[in-house]
Amino acid sequence: MENNIRLKRNVYKNYIFTLLQSLDFTRGIWMIYLASKGMSLTQLGLLETIFHTTSFLMEVPTGAVADLFGRKISRIMGRVFSLISVILLLSANSFLWFAISFVFTALSYNLESGAGDALIYDSLKEIGEEETYMKVNGKKELFYQAAGIISFFVGGYLATKSYNIAFLLTVVIGIITIVQSLTFKEPNIGRINSKEEKENIFVNQLKESIKVVISKPKVGFLILFTQVIMAFCTCIFFYLQNYLKGNGYTEWTIGIIYAISSLTVALLATQVHSIEKKIKEQGLLLIVPFLTVACIWGVALSKYSYVFFILLMITEEIIYVSMSDYINKMIPSENRATILSFASMVFSFFMITLFPFIGLIGDKFNLTTAFKCLAMLGSILVIANAALLISRKRTHTK
């Protein structure tokens, strides 16, 4: 009984953890900050490529660490690495040290990406409440977006005074987050305890996880679908900072725009399960991608690009919350963190290609042209996705 109570508390502790982890006052300004340090758009693209190359190579191994040695341990290590990355970013003045900082940032994301979701889903599963995961995940997103509102408002304002203050406050919050991450209870589901089972543990874990994905093609499709959408949205999220700055917006104004987007998404997050019930999985897979690409076109072509950016963040939120629930329901606990890390690895693969491409086009021409290229590529992909889904539906109905 006591064990169940502690596992139940994981859910509420995770809301606090999400708030603290996401209180990053550099979120809306780091690209502008690095540009002020002399980095070009191409160099910014290369730094993000370094981040995602590290993430691509280390996602699955770190996911295996979470499955084999504990989600809690993986989460704590992730926070320590995140703190190191912020300190390096604040103190560095060269591309090399910025790159090293991005390596640590990537590792912090790797260690959290599969472990955090697995920790909460398996806590719920162990007490028989896994069916509430979509609601829980939606509420978690509410805290994430609330932290975003604070981060963008405060970070944008501080950036007009001093970038250093924004980074130092983020360091303080990072230390507090490490302490709070020590309070979680590790669920027993999926844990490997015997010494015999730990022989060749990494290789066996990877093999078993790959077998799960191969045996369930729908898992692979949903992972691919979700990560493509998120890669496109992430490119807009980061490069829009420099785009708006170049169009005369101050860091404070940019912070307000990003804060409004977080507020809007926060209000929507807890209602995603209701939206999913109305339009179902097929509706999500067909309608939302078209809306996403329409928003990218709006960012590229409209003088009200910030309005379409906010709408874009809404479509991303709907996809993330709903697809996360679908995927978790189809995979076993003992492979959960590793398979969720596969998803992050797919995201990194697309970002390695897309992010530097946008930076290069932005340097050679301008970011408007880069956004148009992204919108054209997105249009091709959503049309192909729709054709594939309609074809599969017809095949299944025959």
Side-chain angles (χ1 to χ4, degrees), residues 276-297:
E276 190 274 339
K277 285 182 180 178
K278 291 180 180 178
I279 65 176
K280 304 299 182 184
E281 181 181 322
Q282 195 73 5
L284 286 168
L285 294 173
L286 279 172
I287 298 170
V288 179
F290 277 104
L291 293 176
T292 300
V293 172
C295 289
I296 296 175
W297 278 113

Side-chain angles (χ1 to χ4, degrees), residues 123-139:
S123 293
L124 290 169
K125 187 172 182 180
E126 194 166 324
I127 62 177
E129 296 183 13
E130 65 268 30
E131 290 301 318
T132 66
Y133 180 74
M134 188 181 288
K135 285 187 178 181
V136 168
N137 205 24
K139 289 179 181 178

